[in-house]
Amino acid sequence: MTIATTSHELPADLVREFVIAAHFDAARVREMLALRPDLLNLANEWQPGDTETAIQAAAHTGQREIAEYLLAQGAPLAPCTAAMLGRGEELAAMLADDPGGLNSRGAHGIPLLCHAVFSGDAALVADLYGRGAREGESMALANAVSAGQRRVVAWLLENADPDLTWRNWQGKTALDVVLERGDSATADLLRAYGAEAGGK
């Protein structure tokens, strides 16, 4: 597996721009990588001990198109990325080789389960949870809600124990997010499990 590195040859602000783009801007990622292919596996250091590559950025934000593109260019496939993409067979092979992969963390220390919910594959989420990948249940629910993965939301509510008052980086609960989106079906589902507007 390719190891992410920082670079003394490329300006730090260029690496940072590339990693930021990988959170949401596929066109910019392609443009920048076409000009500087050596950006691919470089890591931006947000603060000491908190580094992030473009593929990690795409993985923890559920950016499937960006992740697939970066993989095609040679970025490494780590468990968190495989989980986000729903690549069950490849993930199973990784975990067979290294059962400790269930404790994998992506950028910012985000646990495996929080990546897996973006796949929309409730069976994959259930399998990982059953094997012991249970850290980050509340964030996983928030991610599933933000991605509109209602089946995964339903599975987590029924089988896990997420904190319905947990707030994302914007200070919003899962119910706040679905109400803003006008997703009444998911809002009703969350309310059935005790969620209240404003996280009360």
Side-chain angles (χ1 to χ4, degrees):
M1 178 180 292
T2 304
I3 301 300
T5 61
T6 54
S7 172
H8 298 293
E9 299 177 5
L10 293 181
D13 59 348
L14 183 65
V15 176
R16 179 172 297 229
E17 181 185 354
F18 183 62
V19 172
I20 289 173
H23 287 78
F24 61 90
D25 192 342
R28 184 61 178 152
V29 167
R30 290 174 183 271
E31 178 186 4
M32 292 187 73
L33 200 58
L35 292 172
R36 294 304 302 259
D38 45 349
L39 282 167
L40 182 63
N41 293 317
L42 298 184
N44 178 63
E45 185 173 43
W46 297 106
Q47 57 187 5
D50 183 13
T51 61
E52 181 177 28
T53 63
I55 190 73
Q56 290 176 316
H60 84 79
T61 53
Q63 296 292 330
R64 178 179 299 271
E65 177 186 350
I66 295 173
E68 294 284 12
Y69 173 72
L70 294 170
L71 289 171
Q73 305 311 305
L77 180 65
C80 288
T81 306
M84 183 275 283
L85 292 172
R87 293 191 179 188
E89 290 185 8
E90 289 164 283
L91 181 57
M94 291 179 194
L95 296 178
D97 289 340
D98 177 18
L102 283 169
N103 300 314
S104 292
R105 291 176 173 274
H108 318 304
I110 297 172
L112 182 64
L113 187 68
C114 302
H115 292 78
V117 297
F118 284 120
S119 70
D121 186 343
L124 174 63
V125 171
D127 178 62
L128 292 174
Y129 191 84
R131 291 180 184 219
R134 301 188 174 192
E135 190 174 3
E137 294 174 320
S138 302
M139 183 179 188
L141 177 67
N143 285 353
V145 162
S146 69
Q149 301 293 358
R150 191 175 301 147
R151 287 197 309 168
V152 175
V153 170
W155 190 92
L156 289 168
L157 289 170
E158 183 174 349
N159 298 281
D161 187 28
D163 177 0
L164 298 178
T165 66
W166 188 88
R167 296 176 182 274
N168 65 14
W169 63 276
Q170 295 174 309
K172 298 174 182 177
T173 66
L175 183 57
D176 293 334
V177 171
V178 296
L179 289 174
E180 286 182 2
R181 282 210 330 248
D183 184 351
S184 58
T186 303
D188 289 344
L189 180 60
L190 288 165
R191 287 193 184 102
Y193 282 84
E196 297 182 25
K200 298 176 183 177

